[in-house]
Amino acid sequence: MNDLVRHAAALRSLPASCGPVRLVAVDGHAGSGKSTFAGRLAEALGGAPVLHLDDLATHEELFGWTERLRDQVLLPFARGEAARYAPYDWTERRFGPARSLEPAPVVLVEGVGAGRREVRPWLAALCWMELEREVSWKRGRARDGTGLTEFWDGWTAAEEAHFAEDPSRPYADLLVRQVPGGYAWRDGPGATAGANRFVTDGRQHTPPY
């Protein structure tokens, strides 16, 4: 059930999807546990880098980070180069000093919309956190407190509109649900029927580069 090591090994066995990188997305509703899961999966992968999409989004562009992701991360990885991006400071409301992200064998990208259509061609796998949006949003609001109520009101409207126009779950390879003691895994709608292709065939597609 909570065999992160086994799933990490399966992810490492996938063909590279973005230059030398196996880019693995962790998507789901805000508050669904993406960051925690990505951190644990990264540890099972031996310390895989994690890119948080909150670092690329802004107050004005909650989902307008696609070009930054492509230009600052995906294209450099496709060339076998380190990515370089400037994380957004949500308190100062500006981008901070640039960071480097090496093209490791597996890189995780986590955040709402990580499996959007512009990103999927670059992915080796797409994981979806299987938690209903109302439950996720309630958890997120409780986590952030009443001081961010106005932000959450705007966020939930934006997230609802995003997934209505560009859903990720129908394309997920793996559905991951947090349960007592760990995580339950099952094939997602995007996985092929029959044998687990993450162990056998790997994802077959032509990256956009």
Side-chain angles (χ1 to χ4, degrees):
M1 178 181 295
N2 189 32
D3 193 356
L4 281 170
V5 173
R6 179 173 63 84
H7 286 281
L11 291 170
R12 280 195 299 267
S13 74
L14 293 173
S17 61
C18 186
V21 175
R22 293 151 187 83
L23 194 65
V24 177
V26 178
D27 203 340
H29 298 292
S32 61
K34 298 180 300 301
S35 297
T36 299
F37 170 73
R40 292 174 180 172
L41 181 57
E43 183 178 355
L45 285 160
V50 181
L51 174 66
H52 302 283
L53 290 176
D54 283 351
D55 287 341
L56 299 181
T58 71
H59 284 87
E60 293 75 26
E61 298 176 308
L62 296 176
F63 292 95
W65 41 259
T66 309
E67 290 187 6
R68 281 190 288 276
L69 177 65
R70 183 194 64 208
D71 296 342
Q72 299 175 15
V73 180
L74 301 179
L75 289 176
F77 278 176
R79 298 190 296 265
E81 301 170 359
R84 191 164 177 81
Y85 66 100
Y88 184 71
D89 187 319
W90 288 86
T91 301
E92 298 294 329
R93 301 178 74 99
R94 59 182 175 81
F95 289 103
R99 295 178 186 172
S100 292
L101 188 67
E102 295 298 322
V106 180
V107 175
L108 305 180
V109 53
E110 74 83 17
V112 181
R116 68 194 309 174
R117 65 171 64 94
E118 293 94 339
V119 181
R120 286 195 296 271
W122 305 87
L123 298 178
L126 169 56
C127 304
W128 175 266
M129 300 305 295
E130 190 78 329
L131 187 67
E132 296 77 7
R133 71 179 187 182
E134 288 80 9
V135 177
S136 298
W137 292 346
K138 184 177 180 180
R139 282 178 34 167
R141 286 177 182 270
R143 176 195 65 203
D144 293 342
T146 56
L148 289 179
T149 296
E150 183 177 353
F151 174 81
W152 267 96
D153 289 345
W155 171 269
T156 53
E159 182 184 309
E160 186 174 14
H162 168 73
F163 280 135
E165 193 276 328
D166 189 1
S168 296
R169 189 183 182 281
Y171 303 94
D173 300 294
L174 290 166
L175 301 178
V176 182
R177 178 178 288 274
Q178 188 171 9
V179 295
Y183 296 95
W185 306 66
R186 63 187 178 93
D187 285 344
T192 55
N196 188 335
R197 63 174 167 166
F198 294 104
V199 178
T200 56
D201 301 325
R203 175 183 283 273
Q204 301 298 322
H205 66 72
T206 303
Y209 54 83

